[in-house]
Amino acid sequence: MVVRSPLTDDELDRLFRALADATRRDIVTRLLAGEPASVSTLAARYDMSFAAVQKHVAMLEEAGLVSKESRGRERIVRSNPERIAQARALLFKLEQIWISRFSQLDDVLADPKPPTRK
Amino acid sequence: MVVRSPLTDDELDRLFRALADATRRDIVTRLLAGEPASVSTLAARYDMSFAAVQKHVAMLEEAGLVSKESRGRERIVRSNPERIAQARALLFKLEQIWISRFSQLDDVLADPKPPTRK
DNA sequence: AGAACGTACAACCATGTGGTTGTATATATG
DNA sequence: CATATATACAACCACATGGTTGTACGTTCT
């Protein structure tokens, strides 16, 4: 099994920021539901320029939510479900922190430290 | 049981954007782990001005992740774990979309529609 | 070779973000 | 009443975002 090292603050920033846009969420959804697709195939779906969609895909790639592979003149974009799972894992951890307040098992999770500034 | 209407695109944008900052994630974590706290109590934790922390709390409030209550001259901030659950629910749904590709149960989830532009 | 296609990238613009300082206002305390 | 505390909010700054158009370059097709 692959070791899932916890994401850094910067990686989490990029991940949640990437998810904070409806077009990008839709791209991820389509890639999860269907086949990998070229950037222009994706772009055809949306009411904006090719360059705009290309920038969205670039942000998704920086966030680790998708990866690109060269195929002739096309770049095939595929989703990376692992990153979704990692984002969900953080939210689950937050919920557990809250839930643990009502049980005696308060030592389930480490105490948080304030983030260091960039 | 409370009816959880699905969040709109705008609400999801604000929710994920609010989570896309380490200071805000830390504020949420502390509020989930401990007692509700005044804005200045929260601000004391961080290496930035009171006004900066206040703006972070305002963004968390807009995202529905925390709520504020007047108590004398203080504003007591408390976390809203429900919103965390709603964010996690979306990510879970995305994972299910992917997983359903490998089963015959592809009708678990509705087909996505491209988001309408603002 | 030449044209069309797919992509990348730069420049630009309007707006938002993350921080600052300063000022105003309500509440508590001497 | 006077002063300190807690908050809110405006103005400002540097930089990021989300969009545009234009240009360049590799790949595919005639």
Side-chain angles (χ1 to χ4, degrees), chain B residues 15-31:
Chain B
L15 181 46
F16 284 115
R17 186 147 256 309
L19 290 169
D21 179 276
T23 301
R24 289 193 293 265
R25 286 193 300 273
D26 191 74
I27 291 172
V28 169
T29 304
R30 294 197 170 277
L31 291 173

Side-chain angles (χ1 to χ4, degrees), chain A residues 47 88 95 101 117, chain B residues 32 47 88 95 101 117:
Chain A
D47 181 26
R88 188 170 63 82
E95 289 182 88
R101 298 191 60 228
R117 272 229 252 168
Chain B
L32 287 167
D47 180 27
R88 189 170 64 81
E95 289 182 88
R101 298 191 60 226
R117 270 229 251 171

Side-chain angles (χ1 to χ4, degrees), chain A:
Chain A
M1 147 151 190
V2 178
V3 174
R4 266 203 304 209
S5 62
L7 299 178
T8 65
D9 279 348
D10 274 1
E11 287 172 323
L12 287 170
D13 288 0
R14 265 173 280 150
L15 181 46
F16 284 115
R17 192 171 302 118
L19 290 168
D21 180 276
T23 301
R24 288 193 293 265
R25 285 193 300 274
D26 191 75
I27 291 172
V28 168
T29 303
R30 294 195 170 277
L31 290 174
L32 286 168
E35 298 298 312
S38 70
V39 181
S40 50
T41 302
L42 290 172
R45 286 264 173 213
Y46 306 102
D47 181 26
M48 64 185 72
S49 68
F50 170 82
V53 176
Q54 193 188 269
K55 287 209 277 183
H56 281 309
V57 172
M59 288 190 67
L60 290 171
E61 194 179 18
E62 297 247 319
L65 283 164
V66 307
S67 58
K68 275 188 292 188
E69 180 199 354
S70 282
R71 175 99 110 175
R73 64 183 160 186
E74 298 183 323
R75 304 300 148 92
I76 304 302
V77 187
R78 49 170 38 84
S79 62
N80 177 15
E82 171 77 6
R83 267 295 150 98
I84 304 277
Q86 288 177 302
R88 188 170 63 82
L90 177 75
L91 299 181
F92 183 72
K93 194 178 102 178
L94 291 181
E95 289 182 88
Q96 291 306 305
I97 287 172
W98 183 70
I99 287 169
S100 73
R101 298 191 60 228
F102 303 115
S103 75
Q104 284 72 23
L105 309 172
D106 291 296
D107 53 346
V108 171
L109 298 149
D111 61 327
K113 298 231 168 70
T116 54
R117 272 229 252 168
K118 278 173 286 202

Side-chain angles (χ1 to χ4, degrees), chain B residues 52-118:
Chain B
V53 175
Q54 193 187 271
K55 286 209 278 184
H56 281 309
V57 172
M59 288 189 67
L60 290 171
E61 193 179 19
E62 296 249 318
L65 283 165
V66 306
S67 57
K68 274 188 291 188
E69 181 199 352
S70 283
R71 174 99 108 173
R73 63 184 160 184
E74 299 183 323
R75 304 301 148 90
I76 304 302
V77 188
R78 49 169 38 84
S79 63
N80 178 14
E82 171 79 5
R83 269 296 150 100
I84 304 278
Q86 288 177 302
R88 189 170 64 81
L90 176 75
L91 298 181
F92 182 72
K93 193 177 103 177
L94 290 180
E95 289 182 88
Q96 290 306 303
I97 287 171
W98 184 69
I99 288 168
S100 73
R101 298 191 60 226
F102 303 115
S103 75
Q104 283 73 23
L105 309 172
D106 292 295
D107 53 345
V108 173
L109 297 149
D111 61 325
K113 298 229 169 71
T116 54
R117 270 229 251 171
K118 277 174 290 205

